[in-house]
Amino acid sequence: MTIVRIQLLGKVNITKAVNTVRFPEKFAEVKPGSVCTIAGWGRTDNKKPNPADKLMEARVTVIDRKTCASQWKPSVKITKDMMCTSEKGAVRGFCNGDAGGPIICGGFLKGIISFGPMLCGTSSGADVYTRLTEDYMKWINKKTKGML
């Protein structure tokens, strides 16, 4: 595995378009039905390979793990370290190029975009995120000691 370290050359100016996100203080699972925000620079159209020319965001709805698991069976095992969203009847969600982006619930980073159906932004299938658990947060703190 290759580890890439990115370091900014200077201080970042916080503006309406550039901001920070808070890490969670508690690690309870996000309740199904909660509406969260995702953001990314990925594609905006399944037919066009180009990524977005600006940061995009969408509001998505969390679903329970059992429902998510039933949509991914038998190809993927949905674990306790994952969370899912689904937008039945709506055309929104993440797309190719958004992986690694945030899912923010209640003002806190709750997970990281991982994978979804082949066609993105459709009303079929569940989008899957790596859930930010206490164990992951301990790892982040260890790797970024003194940087945050």
Side-chain angles (χ1 to χ4, degrees):
M1 168 171 43
T2 303
I3 297 175
V4 177
R5 182 175 175 179
I6 299 172
Q7 185 169 349
L8 301 176
L9 294 176
K11 185 178 177 181
V12 174
N13 293 320
I14 303 299
T15 67
K16 183 178 178 185
V18 177
N19 209 336
T20 59
V21 64
R22 295 183 302 179
F23 285 125
E25 296 165 357
K26 298 178 181 176
F27 298 92
E29 293 191 35
V30 179
K31 292 181 181 174
S34 297
V35 177
C36 302
T37 301
I38 59 173
W41 294 89
R43 290 172 32 182
T44 58
D45 187 320
N46 284 306
K47 296 176 184 157
K48 297 177 184 172
N50 299 339
D53 59 358
K54 63 182 178 181
L55 182 64
M56 304 296 286
E57 69 176 53
R59 293 174 59 80
V60 294
T61 306
V62 175
I63 61 172
D64 66 89
R65 190 170 293 110
K66 184 176 180 180
T67 300
C68 182
S70 70
Q71 293 184 30
W72 282 100
K73 236 182 215 175
S75 59
V76 177
K77 180 181 179 187
I78 302 300
T79 70
K80 66 176 180 60
D81 289 345
M82 298 174 178
M83 62 184 286
C84 303
T85 63
S86 184
E87 301 304 315
K88 293 196 189 258
V91 181
R92 68 177 168 263
F94 60 75
C95 201
N96 299 352
D98 288 328
I103 180 166
I104 302 164
C105 308
F108 291 93
L109 179 66
K110 290 295 189 169
I112 300 165
I113 295 171
S114 187
F115 63 92
M118 288 296 286
L119 290 177
C120 46
T122 64
S123 60
S124 63
D127 290 338
V128 182
Y129 307 77
T130 300
R131 191 168 72 83
L132 189 55
T133 63
E134 190 169 7
D135 286 340
Y136 284 130
M137 198 65 229
K138 286 177 184 174
W139 181 85
I140 290 168
N141 284 331
K142 179 180 176 186
K143 295 295 182 183
T144 61
K145 192 170 188 166
M147 289 190 275
L148 297 178

